[in-house]
Amino acid sequence: MLSEEFVSAICGAPLSSNTAIAKDVGIYCHALSPTYSVKSTFKKNSAPPRCLAVSETHVFAAQHEKAYVHVYSRIRGNQEAFVAFPERIRCLTLIGDVLVLGTAEGRVMLWETCTGRLVSTPARHVQAVSCVVATPYHILTGSDDSDIHVWSLPQLLELDSTAEHEPERTLSNHRAAITSLSASPSVSVDTNFCVSASKDKSCIIWNYQTGDVLRTLLFPSSPLCLSLDSSSRAICVSCEDGSLYLTELFGEAPLLGPQSEDSATVVQVSSPFGATQQDVGPASCLALSYDGTTLITGHPKGQLLKWDVANNKTPLELASLNAAVTNLVFVSPFPTAKATKTVNIVKPNQAERNYTFTAQLESRLDGDSRFDSLLNTPGFLQETLESAIAALEQQPVAESGSEQELRKQNEELWEIINEQKALQKQTLQRYVEAKARHS
C-alpha cells in the first residue's frame, strides 16, 4: 500500500496545561496510511496560516508577525537555519529549489535555496500579500487589497535584469481581501486556471493567463481557505460558519469545459459537504490527499479531523495538538526525478553577485546518457528503431471521423464528375447526329 504523509503546523500558546503533549513542538510530521501515527516533530515554531512549505529534504516555516523563516532538515531531524529577511513574512510557497515569500509591505521575494540569491520586487500590492501560489511558469499573489497579481517566474529569476519587475496582469474582480489561492498544475493556456477565495463571500475561477473569469461561486459566509484536489477536478472550501463545501468542476452539471453552460457565470453554492461542531470551530486550514478520497482539516481548538470524501461519513479525530492548527501540507508520495538534492540550504544574500550552486548529485557523471549514446552511434540505436516500429504497429487501423467524412466527400465528388462526363458525351453525340442530318 502506498504510504501517505502530511505535515501540520500550529501557532499560538498552548490551550491547556496537558503534560501528555510535548512542549515547544510547533511542527508535526504525520503518517496517514496504512495507520495513523506521528513520525517526527520540530520545535520552536509559530507559523500563521499559509506560512508552511515542505520539500523532500526541508521544511520552511515563516514566524508569526516576524521577518524570520525557520528551516528544518527532514534528513537530520533538527532545525538547520534561522533566516532573517528585510520585511515581515505573511505567506510563502515552494517551487523546486526556490522559496517564494509574500511580505507585509506588499512585495514578493524569491530565495534560491541552493545559491542564496534573493530577488525582490517593488511593492506592487498596496497592502500585505496574504497568499501566494506557484505554477511551473507563474506566481500568483493575493493581497488584502483584493487584487491578484500574475507574475512570470522566468522573468523574476532572470539574471542581470535591470528593468523593474512588473506583474503580467492583475485580476481584480473581488471586492474584499483575498484569503486563499489554489492553482492547477497545467501549463496550457487553454486549461490553466486558478481559484481565489475572498472575504466578499465568493470564490472565483480564473483563466489566469488570459485574465478571464470562468465562474463565480457564492457562499453563505466568507471562505477561510480552499484546496484543489491533485487532478484539479474539485474544490474544497471551508467557511467562517463551520461549513465545508465540495464543488465538482466536471460533474453531472460541469462548471468548466465544453459541456458547461456559458450563461450561468454566477453559481450559488448552498449545500455543504459537512459541518464542524461549534466547540471545534471552522477549519482554518485543509488539505486533500493525492487520491482525492481523504480530507484533513485543522481547527483553532487544536483538532485534526479526517473526512471521508467518497462516503461522506462522520469525521474521525486524528489528534489534538493543544494549539491552533494553521497549516496542513500533504507530502507527495511520488519521487521526483531530479539530478541534484538539496542537503544544506544557502542563506539569502543580496550583496553577492557571484553565486555558487550547492547541492548533492543524484546520478553518476561518468555514465553515458541517452543523448551521448544517440550522438556517438552511427545511424539509429537498435532500441530506438524497435520502439518506433512498436509505435507504428500500435497505430489504430480504423479511420477517424474526419477521414471517413473526407472519403465520403471524395466519393460524392467523383459521382458528380462521372455524371458531367456522361452528359458531355451524350450532348456531343446529339450534336454530331444533328449535323449529319442537316448535311
Side-chain angles (χ1 to χ4, degrees):
M1 177 181 289
L2 188 66
S3 62
E4 289 183 293
E5 300 179 7
F6 68 94
V7 180
S8 65
I10 60 176
C11 183
L15 299 175
S16 65
S17 57
N18 188 349
T19 57
I21 301 176
K23 294 182 179 179
D24 205 20
V25 173
I27 295 177
Y28 296 82
C29 299
H30 311 260
L32 181 61
S33 62
T35 58
Y36 171 78
S37 63
V38 177
K39 297 185 63 178
S40 60
T41 59
F42 298 105
K43 295 184 176 182
K44 297 181 181 180
N45 171 76
S46 183
R50 297 170 294 277
C51 284
L52 183 72
V54 182
S55 70
E56 294 181 353
T57 56
H58 290 85
V59 176
F60 302 87
Q63 302 304 295
H64 181 59
E65 294 295 331
K66 296 184 183 297
Y68 307 139
V69 171
H70 291 182
V71 182
Y72 303 90
S73 173
R74 296 181 62 193
I75 300 174
R76 293 181 289 271
N78 61 357
Q79 182 173 345
E80 179 179 325
F82 173 87
V83 183
F85 288 90
E87 299 174 7
R88 289 178 299 159
I89 308 302
R90 280 287 305 274
C91 56
L92 57 81
T93 191
L94 190 66
I95 175 167
D97 295 322
V98 178
L99 188 69
V100 185
L101 308 105
T103 73
E105 303 299 324
R107 303 180 192 275
V108 180
M109 292 188 292
L110 293 89
W111 168 31
E112 293 181 350
T113 59
C114 288
T115 64
R117 178 172 174 242
L118 184 65
V119 179
S120 180
T121 69
R124 297 307 180 194
H125 286 289
V126 296
Q127 295 185 40
V129 180
S130 58
C131 46
V132 58
V133 66
T135 69
Y137 300 109
H138 292 86
I139 294 173
L140 287 76
T141 56
S143 170
D144 291 340
D145 62 10
S146 77
D147 286 340
I148 301 168
H149 289 337
V150 181
W151 306 80
S152 170
L153 183 59
Q155 289 181 5
L156 291 176
L157 294 177
E158 183 180 0
L159 294 171
D160 300 329
S161 177
T162 57
E164 283 195 348
H165 297 295
E166 295 280 350
E168 285 188 348
R169 65 186 51 82
T170 300
L171 314 178
S172 56
N173 281 46
H174 283 294
R175 299 181 180 180
I178 308 299
T179 59
S180 187
L181 274 174
S182 188
S184 69
S186 172
V187 295
S188 171
V189 68
D190 297 322
T191 57
N192 267 359
F193 71 91
C194 71
V195 186
S196 59
S198 170
K199 289 184 178 180
D200 61 7
K201 300 183 180 181
S202 72
C203 287
I204 297 180
I205 306 174
W206 312 78
N207 184 325
Y208 61 84
Q209 286 197 264
T210 62
D212 297 330
V213 175
L214 305 178
R215 284 292 183 274
T216 300
L217 309 179
L218 301 180
F219 295 89
S221 62
S222 298
L224 295 176
C225 54
L226 64 86
S227 178
L228 276 170
D229 72 338
S230 57
S231 59
S232 301
R233 297 185 62 87
I235 309 170
C236 191
V237 181
S238 169
C239 292
E240 283 184 345
D241 60 359
S243 300
L244 291 170
Y245 296 88
L246 189 66
T247 304
E248 293 188 19
L249 301 180
F250 304 97
E252 295 180 357
L255 298 177
L256 302 179
Q259 298 181 354
S260 61
E261 297 183 5
D262 296 334
S263 58
T265 304
V266 179
V267 179
Q268 182 72 45
V269 181
S270 56
S271 300
F273 160 74
T276 56
Q277 301 295 328
Q278 189 172 2
D279 58 342
V280 175
S284 54
C285 55
L286 53 83
L288 284 161
S289 62
Y290 272 78
D291 59 3
T293 61
T294 302
L295 172 69
I296 307 295
T297 57
H299 300 268
K301 302 298 183 181
Q303 290 88 350
L304 282 177
L305 299 183
K306 174 185 176 182
W307 303 75
D308 191 334
V309 176
N311 299 321
N312 194 13
K313 296 180 179 179
T314 304
L316 173 66
E317 182 174 332
L318 294 178
S320 179
L321 305 183
N322 198 31
V325 183
T326 53
N327 293 272
L328 287 171
V329 177
F330 263 96
V331 179
S332 173
F334 310 108
T336 57
K338 293 178 61 177
T340 60
K341 179 180 181 180
T342 306
V343 178
N344 297 302
I345 59 101
V346 181
K347 290 187 177 182
N349 191 338
Q350 285 185 307
E352 293 286 343
R353 288 297 177 265
N354 297 320
Y355 300 96
T356 302
F357 184 84
T358 305
Q360 176 180 304
L361 295 173
E362 289 289 276
S363 59
R364 296 176 59 89
L365 295 180
D366 55 354
D368 289 339
S369 65
R370 177 174 173 79
F371 176 78
D372 295 330
S373 300
L374 290 172
L375 184 64
N376 298 325
T377 302
F380 294 97
L381 290 174
Q382 183 66 26
E383 60 179 11
T384 303
L385 294 174
E386 291 176 356
S387 61
I389 294 172
L392 289 174
E393 292 176 350
Q394 294 175 358
Q395 293 294 326
V397 179
E399 295 180 342
S400 62
S402 59
E403 292 175 343
Q404 293 178 357
E405 182 66 23
L406 183 61
R407 180 182 293 276
K408 183 179 179 181
Q409 292 178 0
N410 288 337
E411 292 176 354
E412 293 177 352
L413 181 60
W414 276 113
E415 289 181 0
I416 296 174
I417 293 174
N418 292 331
E419 290 178 357
Q420 293 296 326
K421 286 183 177 180
L423 181 61
Q424 183 181 12
K425 183 177 180 181
Q426 185 179 6
T427 303
L428 181 60
Q429 184 177 359
R430 290 180 179 179
Y431 172 76
V432 172
E433 293 176 352
K435 187 176 181 181
R437 286 197 299 268
H438 287 295
S439 60

